[in-house]
Amino acid sequence: MSARLPLFLRGLRRPPRPPGPPLRLQAPGRASSSGRGGGGGGGEGLLGQRRLQDAQAGNSRGQGSRAPSARDSIVREVLQNSKEVLSLLQEKNPAFKPVLAIIQAGDDNLMQEINQNLAEEAGLNITHICLPPDSSEDEIIDEILKINEDTRVHGLALQISENSFSNKVLNALKPEKDVDGVTDVNLGRLVRGDAHECYVSPVARAVVELLEKSAGVNLDGKKVLVIGAHGSLEAALQCLFQRRGSMTMSSQWKTPQLQSKLHEADIAVVGSPKPEDIPLSWIQPGTTVLNCSHDFLSGRLGCGSLGVHFNGLIAEDDVSLLAAALRIQNMVSSGRRWLREQQHARWRLHCLKLQPLSPVPSDLEISRAQTPKAVDVLAKEIGLLADEIEIYGRSKAKVRLSLLERLKDQADGKYVLVAGITPTPLGEGKSTVTVGLVQALTAHLNINSFACLRQPSQGPTFGVKGGAAGGGYAQVIPMEEFNLHLTGDIHAITAANNLLAAAIDTRILHENTQTDKALYNRLVPLVNGVREFSSIQLARLKKLGINKTDPSTLTEEEMSKFARLNIEPSTITWQRVLDTNDRFLRKMTIGQAHTEKGYSRQAQFDIAVASEIMAVLALTDSLTDMKERLGRMVVASDKNGQPVTAEDLGVTGALTVLMKDAIKPNLMQTLEGTPVFVHAGPFANIAHGNSSVLADKIALKLVGEEGFVVTEAGFGADIGMEKFFNIKCRASGLVPNVVVLVATVRALKMHGGGPSVTAGVPLKKEYTEENIQLVADGCCNLQKQIQIAQLFGVPVVVALNVFKTDTRAEIDLVCELAKRAGAFDAVPCYHWSVGGKGSIDLARAVREAAGQGSRFRFLYDLQLPIVEKIRTIAQAVYGAKDIELSPEAQSKIDRYTQQGFGNLPICMAKTHLSLSHQPDKKGVPRDFILPISDVRASIGAGFIYPLVGTMSTMPGLPTRPCFYDIDLDTETEQVKGLF
């Protein structure tokens, strides 16, 4: 085979490569080129079968022809330039290697070897997709579309018959991958004069460069005749010659005026085989003839080669070799563009205009008045590829985790946490501030930014608090889709959680009612005469130290050890869950039917978002990590005091299957069309209260180094922010740049001694009229929360969420006292009434604070004993004098320490309505003893959570829940009453 290669290629051949061929992109039904020994350089599948030998070069060419050395030097120069550019790109992106895909109709092994040699010489990867010669147009297009969407491929070339080059086929190529410059988009840009923004035909460029550099022709003023060229080659040749001042004519072989045109021409470019009835004498002596008389993309030589007695013949080998090198140059340019697109760039985001009304309508009315962009349009605007999203309806999409691999070398943006002071039962607007801030950053300051929010539970949505999409003119839309089922993540968590709960009680029942042998035979059943362990059962054997894989070889003792978990029912900590506030499920008895054979126990339901699986979802960083975390979840202890896990129950794989889609963040948008991730929704009082690590990590890559990701932590800074720093940041490895601390005049008045605030009850006049003293007295809570943030070394910007009843004097007082307490800045915000425009000052303050640098540190060392970590949080964050452990709490701490879980972070389950454990203690309570009533372990999620006082993990409904106001218009199918 190598003897058929051009001399230039054979001269560049390298010794055979060691085992380990270049990357091959495999797909069913595709034949990938095999790795051959040696590299080549200078030739693509454009060569004809005629191969000139150096010894024959002088005799086979006319007087004005150039020896191969002139051509070779041009090719070497192009190839060397490509290698140098690629080397520079790889210095900053070591793993980057452009991939060229070639769709080839027919078996031409020579072409495959030439392409392989050329790619290896230049440092590219290559894949051949070989189709039958008689492949239909649709079959070719199907392959093109697959390559278009393959993010591993940076360039695509077609080597098919001329008859297959229909407009439909050519324009199926993505212009950004069209390295042969055949699509209408690339040709149009060339004609328009935007050559730097397009790919130019390598064959057309080779023709021009050979004329200028090899033949030494000055093209200015020359008459050029292009004969027998078609389509994109003809258009590209005409355009390039005209750019150099040539007078260009085109003609087909059968044109009646061909002879006269040839007589006039200084240069003749032959684009297809010459018919036998056209005499060579029509070409005048002294005419420079350039022969590319083969199918310029298929690589097959046409018949009727021109003679070689003319003044300046440049043969098709010359064109083919240079065109090959120029195609590689286009490939390197394609890779460079692709890398540039992956790097930080300001989004070309079409922001949606707001037309705020006064008085401000309801949240639902505002949401419905704005038409969101199609989510695929938004995805493209922020740099997501088509195969990186899974669309749900028109306005929601899941984002695939493969994005993290694509952008792994991209620098992260700035990381901003929105927290708050101790809230009233009505909430103080952290979600609203979060949305208003990103609207200001992106829609008004033209800075890439992403909001990352939690998915709301349906418990509060139909209970007291309502939804969590923000409010007024700073919210996520469509708000009814945000607040209800979204894409079903919470339902997936509920299904997975309850499957595990069912597995626990069922296993206890079967172990109580079966002998060792019967139990073993049912766990490892005989199927078609064969008994085999499943993969998860093999993992359990390994954990038990039983190094056997044949079920028939286990001893009776080993079978018993394998089959029996011996769960102690009193130690079961795994509860069933439901995403509804239902106080009557807080304690119940299960197993009362006679079919359960007398096995019953007391149990309870938790709200779905309190499930450890929700915490796992929020803290995981990959599908593999999530599966491992799910398997580690401890559900009980056995009768010897050892932990029993989901892995022991054999349910890990099934849980992962149920959660495989839930792990992907959900993409939505704000009222002003800026991007939002909605993912995971653990409560902050009974869980860690933060959205997912994965959403934050993906968003930080997408915004780029100068962009901002704004995420929100539940309830006050003492709860959500503390857990964000000590739990989430440990899991993610991310370092925050700024804390935005949300305060309201209403909440400060409450902390200053104002009347109690109750959901559903009108506010007292103290909250609707100016009261400077109450505000001043209540700022103690704001000052304490600023101090808590400073414990972690992160600069604080206070965002005062302004209500219409707040006065200028109250606003100015809060901002002044916040700055005195150590805030970097304090800014009143009006996003609720006017959108992002009302938070521009906040956005500027956050940008400036982020530039100051963060000296982030954790509050405690993980190696401290569990009790000391709890005490540190109680004293440093809450202001407690000390802690008091119940006997049950102490017993659990001893058990978890003995089981090896003592080095986990702490997630305090505490009321959000006070810094202390008593909800009615406002302001800054002092000298209190913090009671720890119980301690539980979320080993899969990776934390220990003490229960402070009497904390319920299942909320109840009030006398008048929100559901009284929620309805559906059965004519329009529009939801009413959500807020």
Side-chain angles (χ1 to χ4, degrees):
M1 178 67 72
S2 63
R4 297 176 59 199
L5 292 173
L7 284 177
F8 175 69
L9 274 176
R10 285 185 276 149
L12 287 178
R13 289 179 69 87
R14 301 190 297 269
R17 290 170 53 91
L23 172 68
R24 301 288 183 266
L25 303 180
Q26 301 291 351
R30 301 182 183 183
S32 179
S33 58
S34 60
R36 290 177 168 79
E44 57 178 342
L46 308 177
L47 300 179
Q49 294 176 351
R50 180 167 59 87
R51 301 293 179 242
L52 302 179
Q53 303 295 319
D54 284 344
Q56 301 171 326
N59 295 328
S60 65
R61 295 171 181 261
Q63 179 185 353
S65 70
R66 297 293 180 268
S69 60
R71 171 209 65 194
D72 293 351
S73 66
I74 301 171
V75 173
R76 281 193 176 94
E77 180 184 347
V78 172
L79 194 60
Q80 185 61 30
N81 174 265
S82 297
K83 292 169 69 175
E84 289 174 358
V85 172
L86 182 57
S87 178
L88 289 173
L89 294 175
Q90 290 173 332
E91 282 183 12
K92 293 184 177 180
N93 307 275
F96 174 67
K97 199 169 186 182
V99 177
L100 170 65
I102 298 177
I103 296 176
Q104 175 180 329
D107 295 324
D108 189 335
N109 294 329
L110 175 62
M111 284 178 51
Q112 288 197 16
E113 183 166 358
I114 290 170
N115 283 315
Q116 188 67 47
N117 290 334
L118 177 64
E120 290 193 15
E121 176 65 24
L124 308 180
N125 283 329
I126 190 169
T127 183
H128 277 92
I129 296 91
C130 296
L131 302 176
D134 58 351
S135 296
S136 68
E137 181 181 79
D138 287 341
E139 288 172 332
I140 294 170
I141 289 174
D142 283 346
E143 293 298 329
I144 291 172
L145 295 178
K146 291 175 187 176
I147 296 298
N148 280 348
E149 300 308 319
D150 192 332
T151 56
R152 300 169 296 175
V153 175
H154 306 91
L156 172 59
L158 302 178
Q159 292 176 344
I160 56 181
S161 68
E162 186 175 0
N163 294 335
S164 298
F165 277 99
S166 65
N167 283 334
K168 185 177 178 182
V169 168
L170 294 180
N171 289 301
L173 275 75
K174 273 190 173 180
E176 57 267 33
K177 293 188 179 184
D178 169 30
V179 291
D180 277 330
V182 298
T183 58
D184 288 349
V185 171
N186 280 316
L187 285 170
R189 288 172 178 166
L190 175 63
V191 171
R192 197 171 61 226
D194 297 331
H196 62 287
E197 293 184 3
C198 68
Y199 298 111
V200 180
S201 163
V203 176
R205 286 179 61 200
V207 167
V208 172
E209 293 203 20
L210 284 169
L211 283 168
E212 291 181 328
K213 296 180 180 179
S214 180
V217 176
N218 181 0
L219 294 174
D220 188 22
K222 292 292 189 295
K223 293 182 179 179
V224 180
L225 177 62
V226 179
I227 314 168
H230 303 278
S232 58
L233 176 59
E234 179 184 13
L237 284 168
Q238 285 186 340
C239 190
L240 292 181
F241 280 126
Q242 288 169 3
R243 292 272 188 275
R244 284 163 172 77
S246 303
M247 293 178 286
T248 308
M249 302 174 287
S250 288
S251 178
Q252 298 306 314
W253 288 111
K254 297 300 184 181
T255 300
Q257 299 84 12
L258 177 60
Q259 184 175 2
S260 62
K261 289 183 177 181
L262 281 169
H263 277 227
E264 297 175 14
D266 300 310
I267 300 167
V269 179
V270 179
S272 62
K274 179 188 76 64
E276 295 293 339
D277 59 347
I278 302 294
L280 297 176
S281 60
W282 284 8
I283 301 176
Q284 297 299 299
T287 302
T288 300
V289 179
L290 195 144
N291 183 11
C292 45
S293 61
H294 61 282
D295 183 332
F296 74 98
L297 287 174
S298 73
R300 288 198 289 272
L301 178 68
C303 62
S305 240
L306 292 177
V308 293
H309 65 280
F310 305 109
N311 179 53
L313 173 67
I314 299 175
E316 75 274 4
D317 277 359
D318 297 347
V319 177
S320 299
L321 289 171
L322 182 53
L326 291 170
R327 177 192 277 172
I328 289 300
Q329 194 173 70
N330 281 352
M331 267 299 303
V332 173
S333 296
S334 173
R336 180 168 52 192
R337 290 180 186 179
W338 182 84
L339 281 174
R340 189 166 58 240
E341 289 172 0
Q342 311 315 304
Q343 295 166 356
H344 165 67
R346 284 190 175 172
W347 298 330
R348 295 179 179 177
L349 201 69
H350 168 64
C351 294
L352 305 178
K353 298 298 182 184
L354 287 181
Q355 295 180 326
L357 301 176
S358 183
V360 176
S362 72
D363 291 350
L364 190 56
E365 289 173 319
I366 293 171
S367 172
R368 200 160 283 157
Q370 185 71 289
T371 301
K373 292 180 285 190
V375 72
D376 57 329
V377 172
L378 174 64
K380 186 174 182 180
E381 289 177 339
I382 63 175
L384 289 166
L385 304 179
D387 66 346
E388 290 173 341
I389 61 170
E390 298 170 4
I391 296 175
Y392 284 65
R394 187 179 183 279
S395 54
K396 306 184 295 291
K398 281 196 166 289
V399 175
R400 293 176 179 164
L401 307 189
S402 58
L403 171 68
L404 283 171
E405 176 63 23
R406 177 170 69 87
L407 298 183
K408 63 183 178 182
D409 296 322
Q410 167 77 291
D412 287 346
K414 304 293 190 300
Y415 198 25
V416 179
L417 174 69
V418 176
I421 65 171
T422 305
T424 69
L426 306 178
E428 309 317 307
K430 291 188 307 300
S431 299
T432 308
V433 169
T434 301
V435 174
L437 175 54
V438 295
Q439 288 181 176
L441 284 165
T442 300
H444 297 273
L445 298 183
N446 196 27
I447 299 171
N448 293 357
S449 73
F450 230 112
C452 291
L453 299 175
R454 291 175 294 163
Q455 179 184 353
S457 163
Q458 288 180 183
T461 300
F462 291 95
V464 176
K465 187 174 177 290
Y473 287 100
Q475 56 175 303
V476 181
I477 57 171
M479 67 92 76
E480 59 266 49
E481 294 184 27
F482 176 98
N483 283 319
L484 297 175
H485 305 283
L486 198 58
T487 56
D489 294 351
I490 293 179
H491 299 314
I493 289 166
T494 302
N497 184 101
N498 292 343
L499 175 63
L500 180 52
I504 296 167
D505 289 305
T506 301
R507 186 59 173 265
I508 294 173
L509 171 68
H510 290 312
E511 289 189 22
N512 285 345
T513 56
Q514 297 181 51
T515 64
D516 288 353
K517 184 175 182 181
L519 187 62
Y520 181 79
N521 287 339
R522 285 182 171 88
L523 287 171
V524 194
L526 202 63
V527 179
N528 297 325
V530 179
R531 199 183 298 276
E532 291 182 339
F533 291 119
S534 68
S535 58
I536 200 166
Q537 289 177 327
L538 288 170
R540 173 159 170 76
L541 286 169
K542 185 177 179 180
K543 177 181 176 180
L544 294 172
I546 302 173
N547 298 314
K548 296 179 180 179
T549 57
D550 183 351
S552 65
T553 62
L554 267 67
T555 66
E556 288 187 3
E557 182 182 355
E558 288 171 338
M559 284 192 290
S560 176
K561 192 175 180 182
F562 168 81
R564 293 200 177 273
L565 298 180
N566 289 321
I567 295 171
E568 173 54 55
S570 63
T571 67
I572 294 173
T573 56
W574 195 263
Q575 310 298 344
R576 289 162 173 81
V577 299
L578 187 70
D579 198 32
T580 301
N581 289 1
D582 191 344
R583 65 177 65 247
F584 287 93
L585 295 178
R586 289 172 177 168
K587 182 174 283 190
M588 60 188 183
T589 302
I590 60 172
Q592 296 188 71
H594 70 277
T595 51
E596 275 52 73
K597 303 178 182 179
Y599 169 65
S600 63
R601 67 179 181 89
Q602 278 200 344
Q604 69 183 61
F605 269 78
D606 292 339
I607 190 80
V609 293
S611 169
E612 183 176 351
I613 296 177
M614 174 63 86
V616 166
L617 176 66
L619 292 171
T620 191
D621 62 8
S622 69
L623 195 56
T624 299
D625 178 64
M626 182 177 74
K627 183 176 180 179
E628 292 172 354
R629 286 174 178 268
L630 291 172
R632 291 199 303 265
M633 294 187 304
V634 174
V635 300
S637 296
D638 65 19
K639 292 176 181 177
N640 294 320
Q642 295 306 304
V644 178
T645 66
E647 185 82 2
D648 293 327
L649 284 157
V651 75
T652 306
L655 299 181
T656 308
V657 168
L658 287 170
M659 293 294 294
K660 70 179 180 66
D661 293 318
I663 195 175
K664 303 164 190 171
N666 304 295
L667 177 64
M668 296 188 75
Q669 63 193 280
T670 68
L671 277 166
E672 297 191 55
T674 67
V676 179
F677 274 141
V678 185
H679 198 218
F683 282 172
N685 54 352
I686 55 178
H688 73 283
N690 293 273
S691 62
S692 77
V693 165
L694 278 169
D696 291 357
K697 285 192 168 185
I698 292 174
L700 284 164
K701 296 297 183 186
L702 287 170
V703 299
E705 192 170 5
E706 302 303 317
F708 286 80
V709 171
V710 184
T711 189
E712 171 251 351
F715 299 126
D718 57 305
I719 299 182
M721 184 190 72
E722 181 270 317
K723 295 172 184 176
F724 173 87
F725 289 143
N726 284 320
I727 298 175
K728 185 176 181 179
C729 289
R730 287 186 200 270
S732 69
L734 299 174
V735 176
N737 299 93
V738 183
V739 168
V740 173
L741 193 65
V742 178
T744 62
V745 168
R746 177 182 67 194
L748 294 172
K749 287 180 175 179
M750 178 190 72
H751 289 296
S756 63
V757 176
T758 306
V761 177
L763 291 171
K764 302 290 177 61
K765 65 178 180 135
E766 286 84 352
Y767 296 104
T768 57
E769 298 175 0
E770 184 177 284
N771 193 320
I772 297 296
Q773 189 60 52
L774 277 181
V775 173
D777 292 343
C779 277
C780 61
N781 187 271
L782 173 60
Q783 292 161 349
K784 172 63 175 174
Q785 302 286 11
I786 292 171
Q787 291 167 9
I788 294 170
Q790 291 172 334
L791 290 173
F792 298 91
V794 183
V796 180
V797 174
V798 171
L800 183 63
N801 191 17
V802 176
F803 293 176
K804 62 183 180 181
T805 54
D806 299 345
T807 68
R808 172 50 57 186
E810 291 172 331
I811 293 169
D812 291 345
L813 176 62
V814 174
C815 293
E816 176 61 27
L817 292 178
K819 292 175 188 176
R820 286 188 201 171
F824 175 83
D825 203 351
V827 183
C829 303
Y830 304 90
H831 43 263
W832 183 82
S833 57
V834 296
K837 181 181 177 181
S839 279
I840 291 176
D841 288 345
L842 174 63
R844 287 176 173 149
V846 167
R847 182 173 58 178
E848 189 176 349
Q852 301 298 306
S854 170
R855 296 184 295 276
F856 176 69
R857 55 187 174 270
F858 295 115
L859 182 65
Y860 52 78
D861 189 325
L862 289 180
Q863 303 308 314
L864 286 173
I866 292 175
V867 171
E868 289 308 310
K869 286 181 282 194
I870 297 172
R871 181 174 283 113
T872 299
I873 295 171
Q875 293 177 336
V877 177
Y878 306 151
K881 183 178 181 180
D882 203 351
I883 61 172
E884 181 179 71
L885 299 174
S886 71
E888 184 177 2
Q890 184 64 64
S891 173
K892 294 279 189 69
I893 289 172
D894 294 342
R895 182 197 304 168
Y896 296 143
T897 302
Q898 181 270 327
Q899 292 175 343
F901 304 137
N903 61 348
L904 294 176
I906 303 299
C907 180
M908 303 288 278
K910 183 186 81 70
T911 179
H912 60 288
L913 297 174
S914 172
L915 284 164
S916 74
H917 58 288
Q918 297 173 293
D920 59 334
K921 300 295 184 183
K922 306 301 181 183
V924 182
R926 302 182 188 280
D927 296 327
F928 59 93
I929 302 297
L930 192 74
I932 308 299
S933 59
D934 194 5
V935 177
R936 299 176 186 173
S938 292
I939 305 305
F943 53 73
I944 301 292
Y945 69 102
L947 274 67
V948 178
T950 55
M951 276 300 301
S952 173
T953 50
M954 170 57 84
L957 290 171
T959 304
R960 192 186 190 283
C962 299
F963 63 63
Y964 276 93
D965 302 309
I966 297 173
D967 200 359
L968 182 73
D969 186 320
T970 56
E971 296 294 326
T972 64
E973 297 187 12
Q974 287 191 337
V975 177
K976 301 178 180 178
L978 276 180
F979 68 95

